[in-house]
Amino acid sequence: MQHEAVTILGGAALPVGKLQGVSEVGTQQLEHEVLARLVVDALHDAGLDKTDVGSMVFTLPRPYTQQKYFATFMANYLRLPCDGLVMEVMGNGMTPALALQAAVDQVRLGRTKVALALGVNFETGTPAPEHMMSSMRATGDVDFHAPFGFTPISWYAMDAMRYIHEFGSSREDLASIAVKNRHHAIENPIAQFRKPMTLDDVLAQRPIVDPLGLFEVPGRGDGAVCLVIAREDIAKSTGRPYTRFRGEGFFHEGAHQISEVPNDMIAFEAARIAGARAFKAAGINPDDIDLAEIYAPCTIVEVLVSEALGFCPRGQGAKQATEGETAIGGRIPICTSGGLLSRGHPAYVTALYSYFELLEQLRGRGGPRQVKNAELGLACTELGNYNAAMVHIMEAVA
Amino acid sequence: MTLDLIDLEQERAYPPRQSDFTKPFWDNLTRGIFTTTRCDSCNRPSFPPKPICPHCWTDQVSWIELEGAGTLYSKTTVHAGPAAFVRDLPYSVGIIDLDEGLRIAARIIGDVNIGDRVELVVLSYIDGPLYAAKRYTVRLTSSA
Ligand SMILES: [Zn+2]
């Protein structure tokens, strides 16, 4: 790399849960208070001071957050003058990855040596049917998809139906992903769903979008994360372990949910290309990765991404998951945090939790879910039906 | 071919908007004719109809009529839906590859499986049309 390397030096994350709503005594948790505390915690974790920070890139809060223009409100709340950008970014499920990338780029551009990638997603005060009236407008054409009642996860359900049709897979094989990720989440103190769960438990749930039942689609949650992005010389000067950006890749296929030119929808071309670019930039192969945090709102999505990134052969992702190859202790542990299904899915900050998990694992802080000798971690995020993907490869520096 | 019309005694749950440009599509659909635009320059059809060809970005496009026949690429049944669609639950939606080389998404009605031949039908609601796909029916004569 020609420029000075960039690192994630520290972070703090709120346990995912249902936090929005008014208590019996009329109080409520407010987004800016929650996030301000995480900023302080994250800087403490990084071993830096307030005066080191020169840029803040926020994920856009949900429309249910009353405080508008949240980024500049927070600049005031924290009384933080910045030479680098202070802004909010939005890109649906990719929102948090874009915030992280923008913060990294601020450091690379030399606008600051330390930037924060942070955000808060509060949404559970709004019931799911109402929330879907908004989210269906993001995951489809308002005039040519929404009128039929496509929901965000209905597209993933159609991926699942197609996968079963093409590769002779089964709902049971796909559902094993949910069981595996729950097993991971049991050992993650910030995961939303930590109760032990069997395959029978998953299969017994009511249907949501065929062939997926309640435990094969994401629950709703609130969350907040702050990550400290620093130039490597700053990271080194702290004497603390950190993670270095080793490679990254992005691709948007120029389609929204479906391509009007028929293609292989479940090849997840954007993930394949973004992954290949990241591996090339890092000078490594998929085999070299020790763990991967994949943005997968439904079981099928984790399968398809594991294939697109080259962790599993085409059509074998679900089968290999049932054989334990993607579990902690397996060949390539995927979603050691519990993933979107069990760690939780506060959508506009979800991927920040993915990077936080890589940070913890690559610093050896995974506790009972620690991947042994974890040196290289991968995060993959998306928007739409994986119409765009962003891949980051991080390496441990002790 | 002219699409079958199915009368429904209710309004559309989430009506599509119309522009001056897309109005002919909805007007034609009301009469059972499924149309879209095709580029005069590169000759490729597009869906939804667009005043700019998405492939070569020219604004020279013409309306064409599609047969309304294709193959079901995938489908699902929705059991938990947005508020406006709760009245329809459960309902099926799917992805259809039309014979003219266009992939579209629509409601699915009746029993039909991935890979099956399907045809489009018009759902004639009180306030306007939508379209859906159902199992293809062989016709003795064709008006197309
Ligand atoms: Zn053209």
Side-chain angles (χ1 to χ4, degrees):
Chain A
M1 265 183 268
Q2 292 175 336
H3 39 69
E4 177 96 25
V6 179
T7 71
I8 304 180
L9 178 57
L14 195 70
V16 182
K18 297 201 171 181
L19 307 172
Q20 207 174 28
V22 180
S23 75
E24 284 172 12
V25 294
T27 60
Q28 54 188 298
Q29 299 214 46
L30 294 177
E31 292 89 337
H32 51 278
E33 288 183 1
V34 168
L35 193 55
R37 201 171 288 280
L38 289 178
V39 169
V40 173
D41 290 349
L43 273 175
H44 186 255
D45 183 48
L48 296 180
D49 294 323
K50 173 185 175 183
T51 51
D52 294 317
V53 179
S55 169
M56 293 190 289
V57 186
F58 293 79
T59 60
L60 187 73
R62 287 292 198 182
Y64 322 117
T65 288
Q66 293 299 309
Q67 181 62 57
K68 292 283 185 185
Y69 212 169
F70 195 76
T72 196
F73 176 86
M74 288 300 294
N76 169 74
Y77 199 78
L78 295 163
R79 288 215 63 81
L80 186 70
C82 287
D83 295 317
L85 295 183
V86 174
M87 64 174 181
E88 295 160 59
V89 302
M90 162 60 173
N92 239 34
M94 194 181 281
T95 298
L98 294 174
L100 177 99
Q101 186 69 59
V104 167
D105 291 344
Q106 285 299 296
V107 175
R108 283 195 186 137
L109 285 167
R111 301 245 172 94
T112 180
K113 292 177 184 172
V114 178
L116 302 181
L118 70 172
V120 55
N121 179 107
F122 274 17
E123 63 167 69
T124 58
T126 302
E130 288 304 323
H131 177 64
M132 272 192 274
M133 288 302 292
S134 167
S135 57
M136 74 174 184
R137 290 158 48 206
T139 53
D141 183 314
V142 167
D143 302 308
F144 290 88
H145 294 153
F148 304 110
F150 286 93
T151 63
I153 55 175
S154 68
W155 302 99
Y156 301 129
M158 291 189 287
D159 292 333
M161 294 290 283
R162 186 72 200 181
Y163 187 78
I164 291 169
H165 173 80
E166 280 190 34
F167 296 109
S169 186
S170 65
R171 182 190 169 199
E172 286 75 11
D173 283 356
L174 296 176
S176 73
I177 298 279
V179 179
K180 182 261 295 178
N181 286 347
R182 177 60 59 89
H183 193 69
H184 291 171
I186 288 169
E187 301 294 355
N188 186 356
I190 62 169
Q192 185 175 11
F193 304 105
R194 302 179 65 192
K195 211 175 92 184
M197 182 173 84
T198 66
L199 183 60
D200 286 342
D201 292 335
V202 179
L203 298 176
Q205 298 307 307
R206 66 185 167 93
I208 302 295
V209 277
D210 292 344
L212 308 173
L214 185 64
F215 289 174
E216 296 155 272
V217 304
R220 298 181 61 223
D222 304 316
V225 182
C226 177
L227 297 177
V228 180
I229 311 300
R231 221 170 66 178
E232 187 164 23
D233 56 333
I234 302 292
K236 272 206 184 90
S237 72
T238 66
R240 299 181 179 219
Y242 58 89
T243 67
R244 177 164 54 205
F245 286 89
R246 172 84 176 257
E248 60 202 46
F250 172 86
F251 186 68
H252 194 304
E253 65 179 351
H256 189 51
Q257 304 302 139
I258 54 171
S259 165
E260 68 174 50
V261 180
N263 65 349
D264 181 354
M265 182 172 81
I266 57 173
F268 278 12
E269 187 74 353
R272 190 186 65 76
I273 293 173
R277 285 175 179 166
F279 288 127
K280 187 170 181 224
I284 61 167
N285 295 310
D287 290 352
D288 298 319
I289 296 292
D290 297 310
L291 76 155
E293 280 290 304
I294 288 174
Y295 182 98
C298 301
T299 50
I300 178 64
V301 181
E302 182 176 311
V303 170
L304 296 178
V305 178
S306 69
E307 296 179 7
L309 292 177
F311 294 136
C312 303
R314 193 84 201 277
Q316 296 295 306
K319 184 168 171 289
Q320 294 199 337
T322 66
E323 292 162 354
E325 296 208 19
T326 59
I328 294 171
R331 179 173 58 81
I332 168 70
I334 294 178
C335 292
T336 56
S337 66
L340 280 60
L341 293 173
S342 282
R343 192 268 328 288
H345 183 35
Y348 287 0
V349 296
T350 289
L352 288 179
Y353 280 95
S354 302
Y355 299 112
F356 183 70
E357 175 68 6
L358 291 186
L359 177 67
E360 295 292 74
Q361 289 278 357
L362 295 174
R363 293 189 299 181
R365 291 200 201 167
R369 68 180 196 290
Q370 178 66 43
V371 173
K372 287 196 180 66
N373 305 317
E375 290 180 359
L376 285 171
L378 176 148
C380 179
T381 71
E382 63 124 6
L383 54 77
N385 189 11
Y386 261 88
N387 305 108
M390 185 180 280
V391 174
H392 288 101
I393 295 170
M394 311 292 307
E395 69 179 325
V397 184
Chain B
M1 89 187 165
T2 304
L3 311 185
D4 287 351
L5 273 63
I6 298 172
D7 284 321
L8 294 166
E9 295 303 314
Q10 58 183 171
E11 295 187 345
R12 291 170 295 185
Y14 190 81
R17 300 165 303 175
Q18 295 185 11
S19 67
D20 286 343
F21 186 81
T22 62
K23 189 170 186 299
F25 170 82
W26 299 105
D27 289 347
N28 285 326
L29 188 65
T30 304
R31 300 185 289 117
I33 299 168
F34 200 81
T35 54
T36 193
T37 47
R38 184 174 61 196
C39 177
D40 296 340
S41 178
C42 75
N43 228 29
R44 299 177 80 173
S46 186
F47 193 87
K50 301 175 185 76
I52 301 287
C53 169
H55 300 291
C56 66
W57 290 10
T58 67
D59 61 359
Q60 302 300 305
V61 300
S62 303
W63 286 93
I64 57 167
E65 184 179 333
L66 301 176
E67 277 293 303
T71 306
L72 188 67
Y73 182 77
S74 195
K75 67 163 187 174
T76 183
T77 298
V78 178
H79 299 269
F85 293 91
V86 169
R87 67 172 204 196
D88 294 350
L89 293 173
Y91 56 87
S92 294
V93 291
I95 298 168
I96 302 110
D97 286 342
L98 298 177
D99 292 345
E100 290 86 353
L102 286 170
R103 177 168 288 176
I104 70 167
R107 272 290 171 91
I108 304 294
I109 54 176
D111 183 31
V112 53
N113 297 312
I114 294 175
D116 286 351
R117 294 287 294 162
V118 293
E119 64 180 72
L120 299 182
V121 297
V122 179
L123 304 177
S124 299
Y125 290 89
I126 294 168
D127 64 326
L130 287 176
Y131 44 95
K134 67 167 188 176
R135 182 184 293 279
Y136 187 82
T137 311
V138 177
R139 286 162 177 71
L140 294 177
T141 57
S142 174
S143 59

